[in-house]
Amino acid sequence: MCNLYSITTNQEAIRALFRVINRYVGNLPPMPGVFPDYPAPVVRNAGAERELTMMRWGMPPPPKLGGPPVTNIRNTSSPHWRGLLKPENRCLVPFNSFAEYAPEPNPETKKKDVVWFALNDDRPLTAFAGIWTEFKGDRGTKSKPVPGPHLVYGFLTTSPNAVVEPIHPKATPVILLTGWGAFMKQDGDLPAQVDGVLSKPPRARELRETLARLAPKSKSKTLAE
């Protein structure tokens, strides 16, 4: 489960790559560490266009299960998520790299290393495939709650490729190298679209070859450095 990523590209580059029509009003500094419940930039549909806005990372969990906000969504057949898969709730989550904990502790530190992944060593901008909604409850901490409503998001996950699997065998975020418009706008069944846009040849092959581990000096890995 990915619970840490970075977005260090400026908003002009985000607007240009994802064809965002608005300029986000406010400061958008580099974010080398985005954790659950942090506000971060998200691209969503705005009528026939796209807009950039800030949302908190973590969707409301299924009411019957409860628990903390959900950052990674895998079971898109669940009734709880199915209603949020339509185009008006889809979003692009810009990022430069993401992290997973190593499966075993480092013999030297006795702690699990944080392993980073990116498309290459330059950590170019790309996006997770996500969904968003409005949450009317409180966010923040118990001692310092932030009253709602809040715009919140999470990203979809899929089976890991050969680069990520040794570190995190259960799942990896769905990464959109291309096909942003198709993901955001096409009607129909979202899992089928994700398969069509991301998981079938040649794009699956492209993704496997692109994602690589990051430099050992940072004790991290990349998707395609």
Side-chain angles (χ1 to χ4, degrees), residues 109-152:
T109 64
K110 310 301 181 185
K111 298 180 180 179
K112 292 183 177 181
D113 290 337
V114 177
V115 181
W116 286 89
F117 299 88
L119 295 185
N120 58 48
D121 286 334
D122 295 329
R123 304 191 186 197
L125 178 66
T126 189
F128 300 122
I131 57 176
W132 72 276
T133 191
E134 182 180 85
F135 175 65
K136 299 186 183 301
D138 292 347
R139 281 295 171 87
T141 63
K142 290 184 178 180
S143 60
K144 295 182 179 180
V146 181
H150 302 282
L151 299 181
V152 296

Side-chain angles (χ1 to χ4, degrees), residues 61-67 80:
K64 292 183 178 179
L65 298 179
H80 179 72

Side-chain angles (χ1 to χ4, degrees), residues 169-202:
K170 291 184 178 180
T172 193
V174 171
I175 297 165
L176 293 165
L177 300 180
T178 57
W180 302 301
F183 170 74
M184 293 288 280
K185 287 295 186 182
Q186 288 180 5
D187 292 327
D189 181 70
L190 180 60
Q193 288 182 19
V194 169
D195 285 343
V197 173
L198 297 171
S199 302
K200 293 179 181 177

Side-chain angles (χ1 to χ4, degrees), residues 1-9 14 28-42 53-58 71-72 93-101 114 116 123 125 128 153-155 173:
M1 178 188 301
C2 173
N3 278 322
L4 172 61
Y5 71 95
S6 75
I7 172 64
T8 55
T9 301
I14 295 173
L28 190 61
M31 303 179 70
V34 180
F35 293 90
D37 205 40
Y38 276 33
V42 171
T53 189
M54 298 294 283
M55 300 188 187
R56 285 180 176 265
W57 185 17
T71 55
N72 296 245
V93 183
F95 80 99
N96 295 92
S97 57
F98 73 91
E100 300 283 7
Y101 279 102
V114 177
W116 286 89
R123 304 191 186 197
L125 178 66
F128 300 122
Y153 71 96
F155 37 74

